[in-house]
Amino acid sequence: MLLMATTAQAATVLQKSGAWQTYITKNSDGKPMCGMLVLGRGSSLMVKYSSGGEIFIQIYKDGWSIPHGTEIPGYLTFDNSQRFPALRFGSMHKDGTGYVEFTIKAGTEADFIDLSKTARKMVVGFDQGTQLPFEVNMQGSRAAASMFGRCATSIDQIAADAPQPFANAAAVRQQTDAGQEAGHGWGRWLDLTLLCACTHSAFLSTARGARSLWH
């Protein structure tokens, strides 16, 4: 069955809102990773982010059998039916479950988060194959996307504050802080310890917690 494996790293649920859950875990490199998850009938969709990387979406569905690295022409649309720019490919998890990944194009991350908050409808579709488009349940997505953004802000700030073994680390940190104060990136920092205090419960055993699942 779909998603029988547990997360590669332990995860903490930050918030449950409607059909969505927002969580924090670690990727296979041990770095914090924010995620939000919605389950469908025999399927799941997860949005993930680790500091310094891209926002990416993984979609799993029972019955998919996708050769590793297969290009999957497809699309995401929200209420206006315009295709959201994303790069995508398909692969198989080690437990035999096929999935498709969408990487959100650099520079459109804020738009994606805003649409995830406000849209009443998200549709995932494919330009080839026999899989029909399916609609994602957006109930609770506003709260989930807001928490996801706060989580991303936190892990970015923690990464910026980490000690570095080179002379200009302080200057780089000042530039990062200045960009956040100006409204760039994810917004103002929220202390991760406060964020994790929202909910201290075990994450769903059906959710996957690390980006490098396909490596």
Side-chain angles (χ1 to χ4, degrees), residues 72-177:
I72 308 290
Y75 56 89
L76 295 171
T77 66
F78 291 90
D79 292 342
N80 60 8
S81 297
Q82 293 182 356
R83 294 191 174 202
F84 194 86
L87 307 174
R88 52 209 166 270
F89 67 90
S91 193
M92 294 290 291
H93 187 258
K94 59 186 178 182
D95 70 353
T97 303
Y99 69 91
V100 174
E101 178 171 306
F102 290 74
T103 301
I104 301 304
K105 186 177 179 180
T108 65
E109 298 93 342
D111 292 336
F112 175 79
I113 294 298
D114 288 343
L115 286 169
S116 297
K117 291 179 182 178
T118 60
R120 292 174 295 179
K121 182 175 69 173
M122 177 199 290
V123 174
V124 178
F126 305 95
D127 296 327
Q128 298 177 3
T130 57
Q131 174 64 59
L132 296 176
F134 54 89
E135 187 170 330
V136 178
N137 187 344
M138 300 300 284
Q139 182 184 7
S141 64
R142 176 184 290 274
S146 295
M147 179 61 77
F148 181 84
R150 292 164 65 191
C151 178
T153 299
S154 297
I155 64 174
D156 280 349
Q157 186 63 48
I158 289 171
D161 287 344
Q164 301 297 332
F166 56 95
N168 65 339
V172 172
R173 185 176 303 162
Q174 288 176 356
Q175 292 175 359
T176 302
D177 292 343

Side-chain angles (χ1 to χ4, degrees), residues 3-137:
L3 304 185
M4 290 298 289
T6 58
T7 56
Q9 300 283 349
T12 298
V13 175
L14 302 177
Q15 181 173 273
K16 296 181 180 180
S17 52
W20 291 79
Q21 289 195 61
T22 310
Y23 63 93
I24 186 166
T25 184
K26 291 183 179 179
N27 64 16
S28 60
D29 295 326
K31 296 180 180 179
M33 184 173 69
C34 304
M36 54 183 188
L37 162 74
V38 60
L39 299 177
R41 182 176 298 177
S43 62
S44 66
L45 182 147
M46 282 163 281
V47 182
K48 301 180 181 181
Y49 173 75
S50 290
S51 184
E54 305 89 4
I55 294 178
F56 60 102
I57 301 169
Q58 290 179 338
I59 305 167
Y60 295 81
K61 190 175 186 301
D62 284 339
W64 281 357
S65 181
I66 307 171
H68 176 74
T70 302
E71 293 187 5
I72 308 290
Y75 56 89
L76 295 171
T77 66
F78 291 90
D79 292 342
N80 60 8
S81 297
Q82 293 182 356
R83 294 191 174 202
F84 194 86
L87 307 174
R88 52 209 166 270
F89 67 90
S91 193
M92 294 290 291
H93 187 258
K94 59 186 178 182
D95 70 353
T97 303
Y99 69 91
V100 174
E101 178 171 306
F102 290 74
T103 301
I104 301 304
K105 186 177 179 180
T108 65
E109 298 93 342
D111 292 336
F112 175 79
I113 294 298
D114 288 343
L115 286 169
S116 297
K117 291 179 182 178
T118 60
R120 292 174 295 179
K121 182 175 69 173
M122 177 199 290
V123 174
V124 178
F126 305 95
D127 296 327
Q128 298 177 3
T130 57
Q131 174 64 59
L132 296 176
F134 54 89
E135 187 170 330
V136 178
N137 187 344

